Amino acid sequence: MTEHADHDHEHHLPPKSSVKRWLVTTNHKDIGVLYIITSLFFLVAGGILAMMIRAQLWTPGGTLLGGQGYNQAVTSHGLLMVFWFISPFAFGLANYLVPLQIGADDLAFPRLNAMSYWVYLFSGLLFLTSFFLGSSLAGGWTIYQPLNVPAFIPEVNQVGSLATIFALMLFVAAVTMGSVNFLTTFYRMRAEGLRVRDMPLFSVSILLTVWMMLFAFAALLAAVILLSFDHLLGSVWFSTAEGGSLLWAHLFWFFGHPEVYIVFFPALGVMAEVFQTFSGKRIVGRKWFVIAMALVAIQSFVVWMHHMFLTAINLPIKTIFMATTIGISLPFDLMVFALIYTLAKGKIRFKTPFLFSFGALLLFILGGITGVFLGAVVLDYQFRGTYWVVAHFHYVMFGGGTALIGGLYYWYPKMTGKMYDEFLGKVHFAMFFVGFNLLYFPMFVVWETPRRVFDYAAEFTMWHRLATVGAFLFAASFLVMIYNMFKSLHSGEEAPDNPWEYASAGEWAVPSPPPLENYPGVPSYAGGKLSFLTRSEAADGGTVVEQEVAGTEQTAPDGGAIAHAGAAATTPTTDYAEELALEDEHADHASIWPFAISASAFVTFLGLSGISKAYFIWPFVFATGFMVAYFGIEGGRREGFGWIHPVVMALGGAIAAGGAYLLAIDKGGLGAAIDGASVYFWLTTVGAFMGAATLTQLGFEEFNVPEPAIAEQWPFEAVSNVKLGMWMFLGSDVILFGAFIGSYIFMRVGHGWTDWHHDFIPEAHVVLPGLINTYLLLASSFAVVLALVAARQQNRRRLLGYLITTFLLGVGFLINKAVEWEHLFHLHEGAFADGWTFTTNIASSSFYITTGLHGAHVAVGLLITLYLIVRAYNGAYLGEEEADTIEHFGLYWHFVDIVWLFLFPLFYIL
Amino acid sequence: MASTRLYTVIFVTLMAFSTAQALFEFTGILDRAYWFALGVIMVLSTIKATLVAGYFQHLVHEPRSITYLIAGALVGVLALTAGAAYSIL
């Protein structure tokens, strides 16, 4: 314990008994624990809502909750359980275990990992806050439209509803950060000799899950961003009668169906691991099991319309999606049979983790079979909107949750160093399994009960009462689990490194709980088994590489030969020893800024939930001015003052002052502007200022994360972690902007492609402003390329010059856009006598929102450019490696350019 | 990294293609042959985007796996757009 504490101290981390430790930690194991505890908190929140629902259903037309209260309870229960409980619970386990299983000392970006957690936590807090802002969202967890646009939400409930939507948006941001981080870690930080296909099955399942998350959640982000603008600015994406409702369904379910597997895959990984351990058998058909999972991950993106069989989509597409849906069940059949056959061949030990995993398999089989009914068009016509659907997806989703709880028991000894109480674990399982089936099976029996409605036929009452009794038994089982966890933490037996016979994944080769650095050396699988390599001086003055193979020790002279025994020796021995020495450097593991930035986001979005359209932009203008000025202050203070710093400070001051001037003009004086500002305006402003300050601090913070010198990195060997992370992020952004553009194309096809221009767009909307902006953006991209060349040539003057040119061209782009918008807003022609604004029609909404979000990307890019300018002034980024930062920024800036290359013809020419 | 001369040639090409796209509107071709013009304009945008990605973002010099990553995202979003648009035809 003392040794651990010393290690922690070396990494600038307070002890675990200190609250501060948990606020500043960026260590993957700490964050895994935080995820698990937080997700269980949201399980309790969602569970209480479920109890209220079941209490209301004790009698048909129950009155415990009012109508709006019941709708809120149903909606919030669904959202909390799907988003804030199940996946984060799985990712708590993944955070803790994936680096241990693949031989990494942490995730690729520890601070980003912390940020991901804190944004997740604050998004959940924003969700819960929405209950105190009039009403949380009440239109169902699928947020169908137009039911959830302002026109169909009572005035008093609109702030809370928008807060819920923002909570979802923040959650997706957290998920995207996590996906990028995990993918980079999987592909860049696997131990030597560990191929992707050979990773433990839990890690394989998480890898496929994060791929799906990266793409699927981007579509959800696009949907909630568009919805938030319908609320904030009155755009008509989802309220227009011409396909708004269908557009939402397409975007939501393009995300929503992969989400089912995003939730379930980690559970599948847990089942595979637990079955292997407690049957003593390697999973049958391992290769095909992995291929089947990969197939499902790909197929999951081509089944989404089976959720839309009762909408106006045409019959041929329904038939196609029925076929793809039936098709996706086939790989699942293979996986289920592999799991069953593994048990049949093995000698089973009925420990608690196994019971939960086996229970999960049974529940999933029932959930899966009943889901195939819904994939058939004709049956779906009958079952859609009934309790059949409710029962089916609870069997699937909480079937997955069941395995994850098994996973918690399985890895509890590893995480805590204590054994849980086996008897209490079995009591938990018995109550859980009986409660679960008592709760959900009656729903199949009385499937004609209408979903989301608290009235039902009187003859169903007995079955619903059974379900309610089951629900309370089910809930009570968790009290047993929580008691068990707490009791065992304080008085449980000490857990050995590996308490489970036949458990073989990497995490079991280290102490329980593992030390901060995870491994006693550099992990390697090159010899076919996990071993740990360390470099030290030999008695004769030479170099030796010590190789410790799980449980035994060998020492070999000068390393390479034995370390590579049985594998292709691709690295010369001397280099290998040198690289090994580099591994002594460890990441700095403490930063408060991820927490602080996330708190800022909470305050900002809380404010935005109630801000008026007239004040929406101003907090960000002022905060931008502040942030720019702060760049100058911090840059000069930390790296030495020069002429650039007062210039940047003055620029920041000018932005803020200019904003105040324009606001005063708009509102008839500064006093009137202040008088007219609501508390939400001030909240947004405070949050935006906090965000500006904390992001700047993060940017200037020293935080070195050395990349592993010896690692398996197929198929991304030749790129750095940061560059790969950037490309992963851009992959997600391709879906985000693609979804915006796809939404525009969908709505235009729906209206009639060639009629669109004539019916919706004023004559004054011409090509020239778009062409000028194309020139400006292309020129700025070229300037960034030249900046990179200058940085690599170590030419500071040119680097500064090209960065400043990029900045000025980008500013020109935004000014040109502002002038164009101002002109269009105030048109007085023909059908657009009141101007062409956000609210005029779907063409104006799509034009302003899509190009506006692109403009926001430009604005963010300009802030980064200013930051780079301030640092480049003092000599940063010069040299081959140092210039990488400019290249990474360039990847983002050129992407913004590419997006515009499609927006220009679509919104200005065609 | 490619040479500054190559970057300059690409930049000039991008500017020229952008001007050509606008000319379809300015010369009235768009009104006379809308679908032909739409096809050419979108092909030009695709070539421009490929040039920026290939050379300004250095995709041609990166491992192919990065191209596949971005291509995968593109295929996904094209599937969404095409599937959704077809569903209402």
Side-chain angles (χ1 to χ4, degrees):
Chain A
M1 196 67 189
T2 311
E3 193 185 340
H4 287 182
D6 288 345
H7 279 305
D8 292 5
H9 181 68
E10 284 170 18
H11 291 80
H12 315 291
L13 280 178
K16 285 183 180 172
S17 56
S18 152
V19 173
K20 189 182 170 192
R21 159 70 170 247
W22 300 97
L23 297 178
V24 302
T25 185
T26 62
N27 180 265
H28 73 98
K29 295 184 290 297
D30 290 350
I31 291 170
V33 171
L34 287 170
Y35 262 110
I36 290 170
I37 292 171
T38 308
S39 62
L40 287 173
F41 166 74
F42 287 117
L43 168 71
V44 172
I48 290 170
L49 291 166
M51 294 303 101
M52 293 161 83
I53 294 167
R54 287 312 318 174
Q56 176 98 341
L57 292 170
W58 185 254
T59 54
T63 54
L64 179 70
L65 300 165
Q68 179 72 5
Y70 185 83
N71 290 344
Q72 279 185 76
V74 169
T75 304
S76 304
H77 164 74
L79 287 168
L80 281 171
M81 290 301 200
V82 171
F83 292 107
W84 278 274
F85 164 56
I86 300 188
S87 273
F89 186 54
F91 272 80
L93 297 175
N95 242 292
Y96 202 102
L97 294 158
V98 164
L100 287 164
Q101 291 198 334
I102 68 170
D105 57 359
D106 207 316
L107 289 181
F109 311 115
R111 274 194 309 184
L112 193 68
N113 193 28
M115 185 103 82
S116 186
Y117 165 72
W118 288 111
V119 170
Y120 153 63
L121 171 67
F122 280 108
S123 72
L125 294 180
L126 183 59
F127 188 111
L128 297 182
T129 306
S130 70
F131 285 102
F132 304 98
L133 298 171
S135 162
S136 187
L137 201 70
W141 86 273
T142 48
I143 321 179
Y144 284 139
Q145 308 301 343
L147 199 57
N148 291 289
V149 295
F152 295 92
I153 298 175
E155 182 77 25
V156 69
N157 298 340
Q158 292 195 2
V159 175
S161 297
L162 185 53
T164 317
I165 293 162
F166 280 138
L168 200 51
M169 198 186 292
L170 272 179
F171 177 82
V172 178
V175 166
T176 305
M177 287 187 267
S179 307
V180 167
N181 210 347
F182 270 94
L183 284 168
T184 308
T185 307
F186 275 120
Y187 286 115
R188 294 277 309 161
M189 299 177 71
R190 299 191 310 278
E192 181 191 33
L194 184 63
R195 298 180 301 181
V196 171
R197 74 180 85 160
D198 294 332
M199 292 190 303
L201 284 169
F202 179 68
S203 286
V204 172
S205 74
I206 294 296
L207 172 63
L208 291 166
T209 303
V210 286
W211 270 119
M212 289 189 285
M213 282 163 58
L214 185 76
F215 292 156
F217 271 92
L220 178 65
L221 183 60
V224 291
I225 286 175
L226 298 184
L227 179 58
S228 69
F229 281 113
D230 276 10
H231 280 253
L232 265 175
L233 299 178
S235 58
V236 297
W237 282 102
F238 300 117
S239 58
T240 180
E242 298 193 62
S245 170
L246 265 185
L247 173 65
W248 175 268
H250 275 300
L251 289 173
F252 184 84
W253 287 116
F254 184 77
F255 145 78
H257 202 81
E259 167 68 1
V260 175
Y261 306 121
I262 287 167
V263 166
F264 194 75
F265 265 33
L268 209 50
V270 170
M271 276 191 249
E273 299 256 341
V274 169
F275 279 20
Q276 291 183 123
T277 295
F278 292 97
S279 69
K281 286 286 172 193
R282 189 169 186 264
I283 195 154
V284 173
R286 188 184 196 279
K287 182 173 77 175
W288 294 103
F289 191 89
V290 172
I291 290 172
M293 268 204 283
L295 259 179
V296 169
I298 295 166
Q299 285 178 277
S300 71
F301 286 93
V302 289
V303 295
W304 81 91
M305 276 188 252
H306 73 231
H307 294 274
M308 301 167 64
F309 284 159
L310 278 191
T311 66
I313 60 174
N314 60 46
L315 190 58
I317 199 83
K318 288 180 190 175
T319 312
I320 292 169
F321 275 77
M322 180 170 70
T324 57
T325 302
I326 302 300
I328 206 170
S329 66
L330 301 178
F332 268 116
D333 296 339
L334 189 149
M335 287 187 269
V336 166
F337 280 112
L339 290 170
I340 292 172
Y341 196 34
T342 304
L343 297 185
K345 285 181 69 177
K347 189 178 175 189
I348 298 167
R349 286 166 294 142
F350 289 89
K351 297 284 188 184
T352 303
F354 175 80
L355 291 173
F356 273 97
S357 297
F358 185 61
L361 180 63
L362 298 179
L363 298 175
F364 176 68
I365 289 172
L366 191 53
I369 290 171
T370 51
V372 177
F373 287 52
L374 295 165
V377 176
V378 179
L379 290 173
D380 189 67
Y381 283 3
Q382 192 68 29
F383 286 129
R384 182 67 49 189
T386 70
Y387 261 53
W388 184 276
V389 182
V390 179
H392 151 69
F393 73 64
H394 279 93
Y395 267 91
V396 172
M397 304 286 253
F398 220 115
T402 307
L404 293 174
I405 288 163
L408 183 61
Y409 280 106
Y410 183 57
W411 283 298
Y412 180 86
K414 177 56 57 187
M415 294 176 179
T416 61
K418 300 290 176 116
M419 294 302 294
Y420 63 85
D421 185 305
E422 185 64 43
F423 173 74
L424 287 177
K426 285 178 176 164
V427 169
H428 175 204
F429 173 73
M431 291 172 66
F432 178 101
F433 199 71
V434 172
F436 186 108
N437 287 291
L438 204 53
L439 167 57
Y440 296 118
F441 197 82
M443 295 182 190
F444 284 125
V445 180
V446 289
W447 63 270
E448 287 165 292
T449 307
R451 184 180 174 188
R452 301 193 182 103
V453 176
F454 56 86
D455 203 3
Y456 54 84
E459 62 264 31
F460 296 162
T461 305
M462 191 267 286
W463 293 103
H464 276 290
R465 287 190 175 175
L466 264 182
T468 301
V469 170
F472 279 88
L473 179 61
F474 188 48
S477 77
F478 284 98
L479 298 179
V480 178
M481 181 187 87
I482 291 167
Y483 172 73
N484 191 353
M485 299 285 158
F486 270 109
K487 175 179 165 289
S488 304
L489 192 62
H490 289 103
S491 57
E493 286 176 32
E494 294 289 326
D497 293 0
N498 184 0
W500 311 122
E501 197 180 356
Y502 302 118
S504 60
E507 72 271 24
W508 304 111
V510 293
S512 303
L516 198 71
E517 296 85 356
N518 288 349
Y519 294 109
V522 177
S524 170
Y525 287 89
K529 289 185 73 173
L530 176 60
S531 57
F532 306 118
L533 311 174
T534 47
R535 181 180 186 242
S536 60
E537 297 294 315
D540 62 359
T543 306
V544 295
V545 171
E546 290 181 17
Q547 183 190 31
E548 184 190 338
V549 181
T552 61
E553 282 194 25
Q554 300 176 25
T555 304
D558 208 17
I562 280 198
H564 284 286
T570 53
T571 314
T573 305
T574 48
D575 287 353
Y576 190 88
E578 286 303 312
E579 286 167 359
L580 206 56
L582 294 174
E583 299 281 339
D584 290 341
E585 191 184 353
H586 288 292
D588 181 347
H589 281 294
S591 174
I592 189 67
W593 304 116
F595 166 78
I597 291 167
S598 309
S600 310
F602 170 81
V603 177
T604 306
F605 281 98
L606 182 60
L608 277 177
S609 304
I611 202 166
S612 69
K613 184 175 164 182
Y615 279 87
F616 158 67
I617 198 69
W618 300 111
F620 301 103
V621 173
F622 299 139
T624 301
F626 167 69
M627 191 172 190
V628 169
Y630 201 38
F631 283 168
I633 295 166
E634 278 302 288
R637 190 177 70 79
R638 288 170 183 260
E639 294 167 348
F641 268 101
W643 65 264
I644 198 79
H645 300 103
V647 169
V648 170
M649 283 186 251
L651 177 63
I655 292 169
Y661 176 70
L662 290 174
L663 177 63
I665 289 178
D666 189 42
K667 308 292 177 218
L670 204 54
I674 292 171
D675 289 344
S678 68
V679 65
Y680 291 107
F681 166 82
W682 294 111
L683 265 177
T684 311
T685 305
V686 169
F689 271 70
M690 284 166 60
T694 50
L695 279 166
T696 305
Q697 287 297 332
L698 183 88
F700 280 100
E701 184 179 56
E702 283 288 328
F703 196 93
N704 299 315
V705 184
E707 296 190 8
I710 305 165
E712 213 61 49
Q713 297 174 331
W714 180 88
F716 296 102
E717 293 92 346
V719 287
S720 67
N721 284 7
V722 177
K723 191 193 278 187
L724 181 59
M726 195 68 195
W727 276 112
M728 294 288 181
F729 166 72
L730 292 181
S732 162
D733 233 15
V734 165
I735 299 275
L736 178 69
F737 266 107
F740 292 143
I741 293 171
S743 299
Y744 160 78
I745 291 172
F746 175 79
M747 299 306 271
R748 188 164 173 173
V749 167
H751 180 76
W753 186 273
T754 48
D755 296 335
W756 179 271
H757 207 274
H758 176 264
D759 294 348
F760 289 146
I761 299 184
E763 290 294 324
H765 183 36
V766 292
V767 174
L768 195 59
L771 181 62
I772 292 170
N773 266 355
T774 306
Y775 289 151
L776 289 171
L777 217 48
L778 286 172
S780 74
S781 255
F782 184 47
V784 171
V785 170
L786 296 179
L788 179 59
V789 173
R792 293 214 164 127
Q793 292 172 347
Q794 305 198 37
N795 188 326
R796 175 179 159 274
R797 198 174 57 83
R798 279 191 175 184
L799 170 61
L800 261 180
Y802 288 128
L803 286 175
I804 291 171
T805 305
T806 304
F807 179 77
L808 293 175
L809 289 166
V811 169
F813 177 95
L814 291 181
I815 290 174
N816 185 35
K817 182 165 281 298
V819 170
E820 179 202 23
W821 281 25
E822 182 68 10
H823 175 60
L824 292 172
F825 282 156
H826 298 101
L827 281 183
H828 295 291
E829 67 172 57
F832 308 106
D834 296 328
W836 198 61
T837 68
F838 290 97
T839 60
T840 305
N841 54 41
I842 181 61
S844 67
S845 290
S846 56
F847 169 73
Y848 288 121
I849 301 299
T850 311
T851 61
L853 287 165
H854 174 268
H857 271 64
V858 172
V860 169
L862 291 180
L863 278 172
I864 299 171
T865 312
L866 267 181
Y867 167 82
L868 296 175
I869 288 170
V870 168
R871 303 211 60 198
Y873 175 85
N874 278 326
Y877 317 126
L878 300 177
E880 270 301 321
E881 285 186 15
E882 290 78 0
D884 285 351
T885 306
I886 303 291
E887 186 181 7
H888 301 151
F889 165 69
L891 294 179
Y892 171 82
W893 191 255
H894 301 312
F895 174 77
V896 173
D897 190 7
I898 288 172
V899 170
W900 182 258
L901 295 181
F902 289 98
L903 296 186
F904 168 52
L906 285 171
F907 286 98
Y908 286 91
I909 304 177
L910 299 172
Chain B
M1 262 181 89
S3 68
T4 305
R5 181 192 294 265
L6 178 62
Y7 289 135
T8 309
V9 170
I10 290 168
F11 172 61
V12 170
T13 307
L14 293 169
M15 297 295 256
F17 277 19
S18 302
T19 308
Q21 287 176 308
L23 282 176
F24 276 89
E25 164 83 12
F26 294 147
T27 59
I29 297 174
L30 196 67
D31 294 330
R32 291 196 300 276
Y34 183 84
W35 294 107
F36 165 75
L38 181 146
V40 175
I41 286 169
M42 292 315 292
V43 167
L44 286 176
S45 273
T46 306
I47 294 171
K48 284 158 64 181
T50 308
L51 285 173
V52 173
Y55 291 93
F56 286 7
Q57 292 185 306
H58 310 120
L59 262 186
V60 290
H61 303 298
E62 301 291 2
R64 275 303 140 259
S65 43
I66 301 232
T67 306
Y68 299 148
L69 156 70
I70 297 299
L74 266 175
V75 167
V77 84
L78 286 174
L80 169 63
T81 305
Y86 175 72
S87 76
I88 51 168
L89 289 177

